[in-house]
Amino acid sequence: MVCSRIGINFKKRVNSLKKEIFRKTIHLCTGVVPVLLHFYKTPVIILLLLALSAYLLSEFLRFRGINIPLISQITVKAARKRDENKIVLGPVTLVLGVVSASLLWPETAAAIGIVALALGDGLASLAGKSFGSLPLPFTGGKTVEGSLTCFTAIFVSCWMISKNTVVSFIVALTGCFIECLPLKDFDNLLIPVVLGGLSAWLLNLPFLFPQINLMQGF
């Protein structure tokens, strides 16, 4: 009986990890968006908004028993248990976060916020699901391992773009704090917007940061 229960729990853990890997693979792909925005900002934003519209339409139809090939299948495969019987908000907040950051902040700052979302939030979840064992209280299931992974990923990615250790540390610490909050899918919106805005402010402090070109970081 005990062995059977252990086997069931292990299978649930593996299935949960597979689902998280699938979800976060999509998440991590967001990391290439700043490069595309650098060359084709307006077309990329339009395509993102069109993709969001198509997704919302597919969700509307899915709730009425009409599945859109590929889109509905991906949605169901990526949906968490908490998303059952309701619209999966992750893709919505993801696109809105990316688009908002790109419209609100200068190119370099927006890139820092978007890449922080892609790598920091994406890798934190995978680390937490894979080997996280030290829970953080009042965070809705987040782990110390996931948060440290988030901090490291944001620090490294921010430094690759800004080449500034102080800016990277402040941005990574703030991003780690946001990721720890029990925001569910709304961290997709807050991380790029808040970190982009913070970066925009820090990058304008002349004693911290000389002007650079975004593409020096790629």
Side-chain angles (χ1 to χ4, degrees):
M1 183 71 176
V2 175
C3 291
S4 176
R5 187 176 301 170
I6 293 174
I8 291 172
N9 289 336
F10 178 76
K11 189 173 182 179
K12 286 182 178 179
R13 186 180 177 91
V14 170
N15 290 336
S16 176
L17 181 58
K18 286 180 179 179
K19 187 178 288 287
E20 199 66 18
I21 290 173
F22 181 79
R23 291 181 68 256
K24 293 308 178 181
T25 298
I26 299 173
H27 213 83
L28 291 169
C29 290
T30 310
V32 304
V33 171
V35 179
L36 299 175
L37 288 169
H38 178 77
F39 293 105
Y40 314 104
K41 183 174 182 177
T42 300
V44 169
I45 291 175
I46 292 173
L47 285 174
L48 286 172
L49 292 176
L50 288 174
L52 176 58
S53 300
Y55 171 76
L56 289 173
L57 176 61
S58 73
E59 283 292 86
F60 176 81
L61 294 174
R62 184 168 69 88
F63 271 83
R64 280 152 181 77
I66 304 172
N67 288 325
I68 304 297
L70 187 61
I71 298 178
S72 297
Q73 294 171 355
I74 292 174
T75 301
V76 171
K77 189 173 182 179
R80 292 168 169 168
K81 189 171 183 61
R82 72 185 187 207
D83 296 319
E84 290 179 356
N85 301 317
K86 59 183 178 181
I87 292 177
V88 182
L89 286 177
V92 178
T93 54
L94 182 68
V95 172
L96 290 179
V98 171
V99 171
S100 297
S102 65
L103 293 176
L104 286 171
W105 312 126
E107 185 178 1
T108 300
I112 289 173
I114 294 169
V115 174
L117 172 64
L119 299 183
D121 186 49
L123 294 178
S125 182
L126 290 177
K129 290 282 187 181
S130 300
F131 52 83
S133 59
L134 299 174
L136 284 172
F138 313 112
T139 60
K142 305 294 176 68
T143 64
V144 172
E145 294 87 348
S147 294
L148 290 176
T149 301
C150 177
F151 177 88
T152 303
I154 294 177
F155 179 86
V156 172
S157 63
C158 183
W159 191 89
M160 290 294 292
I161 297 173
S162 69
K163 300 297 190 295
N164 187 286
T165 303
V166 176
V167 172
S168 300
F169 180 83
I170 295 172
V171 170
L173 194 63
T174 305
C176 184
F177 173 75
I178 295 174
E179 199 277 332
C180 284
L181 297 175
L183 298 171
K184 297 184 179 179
D185 292 313
F186 289 97
D187 57 355
N188 291 342
L189 183 58
L190 281 181
I191 288 176
V193 172
V194 173
L195 297 190
L198 177 61
S199 301
W201 177 66
L202 292 172
L203 300 185
N204 282 321
L205 298 178
F207 59 90
L208 276 181
F209 193 84
Q211 289 294 321
I212 66 165
N213 185 291
L214 165 67
M215 298 313 291
Q216 290 177 1
F218 291 94

